[in-house]
Amino acid sequence: QGQLVESGGGSVQAGGSLNVSCVESGFMYCNRNSDWYRQSPGQEREFVANVDMYGVTRYTDSVKGRFTISLDNTQGILYLVMNNLQPEDTATYYCKRKCATRNGDGPLPTWGQGTQVTVSS
């Protein structure tokens, strides 16, 4: 069964940087249009960044100029580079892609398990 696996989270001080990644495995394919979301305790999951099939990116206002999303479609890895991190960026970060299983189902929205990012002041 296919899965998306995030890694690269951790703890940093304000102003620091982290790179998180999302690796696909076991799918027939995943669409290029890909997202990062995040969720803080007690909060709704919120959109962070998107890269579309043409490589065009968009971001929620609070991370513009600090975060960069990219996709290595050859390797099946989605990245999120996070610079100048602030305490309000503390959350669990999730990748979301539409992927088709090897049984021919989909492509269906698929979430990774999440990776924790903690930023201290």
Side-chain angles (χ1 to χ4, degrees):
Q1 184 170 348
Q3 58 180 348
L4 300 175
V5 179
E6 295 103 334
S7 62
S11 297
V12 296
Q13 291 191 321
S17 298
L18 284 172
N19 300 335
V20 294
S21 61
C22 168
V23 180
E24 60 167 291
S25 67
F27 292 109
M28 182 182 299
Y29 67 89
C30 292
N31 288 351
R32 294 188 180 206
N33 193 316
S34 304
D35 303 310
W36 283 100
Y37 283 73
R38 65 186 180 187
Q39 187 169 23
S40 303
Q43 302 295 317
E44 297 281 329
R45 191 170 296 189
E46 65 170 353
F47 168 81
V48 175
N50 167 267
V51 56
D52 72 10
M53 62 182 294
Y54 304 107
V56 177
T57 59
R58 62 184 180 95
Y59 303 90
T60 191
D61 285 347
S62 63
V63 308
K64 284 180 182 176
R66 301 188 297 123
F67 289 14
T68 303
I69 186 174
S70 62
L71 175 68
D72 182 339
N73 199 49
T74 302
Q75 299 294 325
I77 304 175
L78 179 68
Y79 297 100
L80 186 67
V81 175
M82 302 181 288
N83 294 319
N84 191 21
L85 283 159
Q86 300 301 315
E88 54 266 33
D89 296 316
T90 295
T92 301
Y93 284 71
Y94 299 89
C95 59
K96 179 187 175 186
R97 304 188 68 187
K98 284 190 175 180
C99 301
T101 70
R102 291 179 176 172
N103 293 330
D105 297 325
L108 297 172
T110 306
W111 294 88
Q113 86 289 351
T115 185
Q116 178 66 36
V117 171
T118 303
V119 186
S120 57
S121 57

